[in-house]
Amino acid sequence: MATTQVNGTDDETPAGPPRRRVPMALVTWVFVVLILSIVVVLLVVKVTRGTTTVVPPPVAPASEGVVHAVTTVPSGVFDAVGAQQAADPGEAVLSGQPAVSIGGRPAVVYVGGEFCPYCAAERWALVAALGRFGTFSHLGATTSSDVEVFPGTPTFTFDGTTYRSRYVTFAAVEEYGDRPSATAPAGFPKLRDPTPVEWALLKRYDTEPFVPGTSTFPFVDVDNRLVVSGSGIGFSPGVLQDKSMTQVADDLAEPTNSDTQALLGAANKMSAAICAATGGKPVSVCTSPGVRAGASRLGLP
């Protein structure tokens, strides 16, 4: 390389302007922007490809008038109805089984599906019975599936419902919705999974020798004293056919109506089992003639 002597030093010919270093702050910001871009892309992919989280469609709330009518049936109507002999197979009375406690109180456990007509009918009896021991909030209104027997049976849904009581805990799950789905393995969309307690009771008692058949809806367990399974609700959902929820609720004021006798007769027996679990509390309910008739029919003390 050619050089020139300047003031006694060798000075190489300059190769160009000096190189500038990139500030570290700029590098950091570029890295942050890159990470954020990746996160955004992943979120877009997740949304466009779907998610496994089940978000059920909103369910219309049951009217306040209907809920009030069903949960405040006069004691005299319950007493006048009494407890008729259940249609076979009927409810199953258990003995020698461990009590079921949730939250420090005897438990009533329900597992069902919104599509199921026997669940639809049983919910009326449950709401009427439990209304004597506590209060419901956020009861929904729905119908059983149009593609099942007793299509379009009007009813409540327990999905999203809360229940408060000094005497008993109510644990309920609706496993499936009411609209058929060609992509759902069970034929209806999944709504919720039972809790470990609900699942254990279902597997233990929703089968022979306790009830006929295996794993049928609805499943109701009152403190392991009374179990209801499938068509064993004790009456036919046909008593609710071609009626609205308002009509059924209005009928409950008259003990001679066929739907009133079916629903409140089952509710009296359910109440008797709850009273056996609570030690006869509240006294005003548990000593009533209707509940005593239910206990006598079931063979409960």
Side-chain angles (χ1 to χ4, degrees), residues 58-82:
V59 176
S63 75
E64 292 183 5
V66 167
V67 174
H68 179 76
V70 181
T71 56
T72 60
V73 174
S75 180
V77 179
F78 275 111
D79 296 341
V81 169

Side-chain angles (χ1 to χ4, degrees), residues 6-71:
V6 178
N7 294 329
T9 63
D10 289 336
D11 186 21
E12 295 186 354
T13 303
R19 299 176 64 184
R20 300 178 59 188
R21 300 181 62 185
V22 178
M24 286 302 299
L26 180 59
V27 174
T28 301
W29 278 109
V30 170
F31 182 75
V32 170
V33 171
L34 178 62
I35 294 298
L36 289 175
S37 300
I38 293 173
V39 171
V40 170
V41 170
L42 290 176
L43 287 174
V44 171
V45 170
K46 181 178 179 65
V47 171
T48 56
R49 289 187 178 180
T51 174
T52 57
T53 302
V54 177
V55 181
V59 176
S63 75
E64 292 183 5
V66 167
V67 174
H68 179 76
V70 181
T71 56

Side-chain angles (χ1 to χ4, degrees), residues 4 17 26-27 59 64 69 127 146 160 230 238 250 259 267 275:
T4 57
L26 180 59
V27 174
V59 176
E64 292 183 5
V127 171
D146 288 336
D250 289 345
D259 51 347
C275 286

Side-chain angles (χ1 to χ4, degrees), residues 158-181:
F158 293 135
D159 192 38
T161 297
T162 57
Y163 177 78
R164 293 178 175 83
S165 171
R166 295 172 53 192
Y167 308 101
V168 65
T169 296
F170 180 50
V173 59
E174 304 285 5
E175 276 205 73
Y176 301 96
D178 60 349
R179 298 293 180 261
S181 172

Side-chain angles (χ1 to χ4, degrees), residues 106 133 167-168 223 225 271 273-282 286:
F133 299 87
Y167 308 101
V168 65
D223 193 42
R225 298 170 184 267
S271 299
I274 295 172
C275 286
T278 63
K281 298 178 182 178
C286 296

Side-chain angles (χ1 to χ4, degrees), residues 176-223:
Y176 301 96
D178 60 349
R179 298 293 180 261
S181 172
T183 61
F188 295 91
K190 185 80 170 181
L191 291 183
R192 314 288 176 195
D193 287 318
T195 65
V197 170
E198 293 162 351
W199 181 250
L201 292 173
L202 181 71
K203 297 300 290 182
R204 168 67 174 163
Y205 295 106
D206 197 16
T207 187
E208 296 179 347
F210 301 105
V211 297
T214 300
S215 298
T216 54
F217 286 161
F219 170 75
V220 180
D221 186 330
V222 182
D223 193 42

